[in-house]
Amino acid sequence: MAALFRGYRNLYKSNKHVELTLVSCRSMASKTPVGFIGLGNMGTPMARNLLKHGYPVIATDVFPESFKELQDSGAQILDCPAEVADKADRIITMLPSSPNVIEVYTGPNGILKKIKKGTLLIDSSTIDPAVSKEMAVAAEKMGAVFMDAPVSGGVGAAGLAKLTFMVGGVEEEFNAAQELLTCMGANVVYCGQVGSGQAAKICNNMLLAIGMIGTAETMNLGIRLGLDPKLLAKILNMSSGQCWSSDKYNPVPGVMEGVPSANNYQGGFGTKLMAKDLGFAQDTATSTQTAIPLGSLAHQIYRAMCDRGYSNKDFSSVFQFLREEGV
């Protein structure tokens, strides 16, 4: 009987070893290299979080000075998107605009020049939904899958891996995308077909711009009425006027620490990027015959800011614009 028991125990150990080996192999397979293109204020912390989760990262950016921080963290740096596509079958892009996305995917040294069949492409840029659909068609012709997955949360959330991803694309591929996106974000939401993620992001950013302008106007008025800005912010945030811009990203210098208004509006989400996103909202509102009076006014205000030297400041600098320009 004792011999029989030892036999069962040895068989259990053997099977357990095989099981653990298989789990280990699957884990190693899931940690194959991930390509990352676009190492700006958002892209660098996003790629760093992939490294923290054990994914080898192969990256590139048009600006060599963007490489160093990620390279020091262990990423492999290549010369162009095509080289990244040759080395990785899962690629994330985080780029400033629609023309940048078109160039990175379809240009002379673009991803699609050396892409492998079955490659998963995830674009986290905020661009025209029509461009996302064009890239999806181009990728499909090469046997690859393209998904749009723009983000919300800003640079702070990118560093803390607390972004929200709004994903559009083939639903059957969502789980594969989610595996990577959960390393960089707290929320990953499937929105529908390609372009749906961009649609959700455009709507979110229109509301964000309107809310920021409203917060800036309110704080400016209160200050000119003699209220202490910290006191006013406290009252707003315990009352019905509370919103993300007042509570998490207050635009008035000295009210909060760790936000762009505390750093001369450096870093964060640039005014010209907000103007770009509001332009998408305006275009889509026109094409769908949707009235967006406040969205249109927000677009005008952010365009005016760009014309008056605020392009590279965080979008919360609308407070400074309203105070200094007397709008």
Side-chain angles (χ1 to χ4, degrees):
M1 181 64 71
L4 182 61
F5 174 76
R6 283 194 299 273
Y8 279 130
R9 185 177 60 186
N10 291 336
L11 180 61
Y12 171 79
K13 286 182 178 179
S14 176
N15 287 340
K16 192 68 175 176
H17 176 72
V18 170
E19 180 183 337
L20 290 171
T21 300
L22 289 173
V23 169
S24 177
C25 288
R26 283 197 296 270
S27 176
M28 290 174 64
S30 70
K31 303 293 186 181
T32 55
V34 177
F36 205 106
I37 301 170
L39 303 176
N41 288 339
M42 295 292 290
T44 294
M46 290 168 66
R48 193 187 306 116
N49 282 323
L50 287 171
L51 287 167
K52 287 179 181 177
H53 279 81
Y55 290 94
V57 170
I58 301 171
T60 192
D61 191 280
V62 69
F63 297 110
E65 61 270 22
S66 301
F67 298 164
K68 189 176 187 314
E69 184 178 345
L70 197 65
Q71 194 168 27
D72 290 346
S73 297
Q76 179 184 357
I77 304 298
L78 299 180
D79 289 335
C80 67
E83 291 187 9
V84 174
D86 191 46
K87 300 289 186 182
D89 58 11
R90 294 181 290 181
I91 301 171
I92 298 168
T93 51
M94 185 50 141
L95 304 162
S97 67
S98 296
N100 296 125
V101 170
I102 293 170
E103 177 68 18
V104 162
Y105 279 88
T106 66
N109 294 308
I111 291 170
L112 298 183
K113 290 297 180 183
K114 289 192 176 181
I115 198 165
K116 294 174 279 191
K117 286 186 177 180
T119 295
L120 176 63
L121 303 168
I122 303 172
D123 181 40
S124 288
S125 318
T126 299
I127 59 172
D128 187 334
V131 173
S132 292
K133 293 174 183 177
E134 290 173 17
M135 295 303 100
V137 170
E140 186 178 12
K141 289 179 180 177
M142 304 300 292
V145 175
F146 177 97
M147 306 186 83
D148 61 304
V151 305
S152 178
V155 175
L160 296 171
K162 291 186 177 180
L163 292 168
T164 292
F165 287 89
M166 294 152 271
V167 185
V170 180
E171 187 169 8
E172 290 75 15
E173 299 292 339
F174 176 65
N175 286 341
Q178 189 176 32
E179 176 193 336
L180 298 178
L181 299 180
T182 51
C183 297
M184 301 177 286
N187 304 293
V188 182
V189 183
Y190 180 70
C191 299
Q193 63 184 356
V194 170
S196 298
Q198 299 294 350
K201 175 64 186 291
I202 289 168
C203 292
N204 178 79
N205 275 21
M206 183 175 73
L207 181 58
L208 176 62
I210 293 168
M212 181 57 76
I213 293 169
T215 300
E217 287 183 347
T218 298
M219 294 297 295
N220 188 32
L221 177 61
I223 291 167
R224 291 191 177 185
L225 287 171
L227 291 171
D228 176 77
K230 286 187 176 181
L231 174 65
L232 178 56
K234 180 180 179 180
I235 292 168
L236 292 175
N237 293 331
M238 62 174 61
S239 305
S240 56
Q242 188 270 342
C243 66
W244 187 84
S245 295
S246 67
D247 189 30
K248 305 294 185 185
Y249 211 84
N250 198 285
V252 180
V255 170
M256 293 182 67
E257 295 297 324
V259 293
S261 63
N263 188 35
N264 195 29
Y265 300 104
Q266 299 303 306
F269 184 59
T271 293
K272 71 179 175 184
L273 294 178
M274 179 57 85
K276 176 204 72 174
D277 292 357
L278 289 168
F280 292 146
Q282 185 68 71
D283 291 344
T284 54
T286 300
S287 66
T288 58
Q289 299 184 345
T290 304
I292 54 165
L294 293 181
S296 295
L297 183 56
H299 186 211
Q300 293 175 38
I301 289 171
Y302 277 101
R303 287 179 64 188
M305 289 175 66
C306 290
D307 291 339
R308 300 186 196 181
Y310 289 82
S311 292
N312 295 321
K313 288 182 177 289
D314 180 73
F315 81 108
S316 63
S317 64
V318 67
F319 171 78
Q320 186 181 57
F321 174 75
L322 291 172
R323 282 182 71 83
E324 294 182 0
E325 302 294 333
V327 176

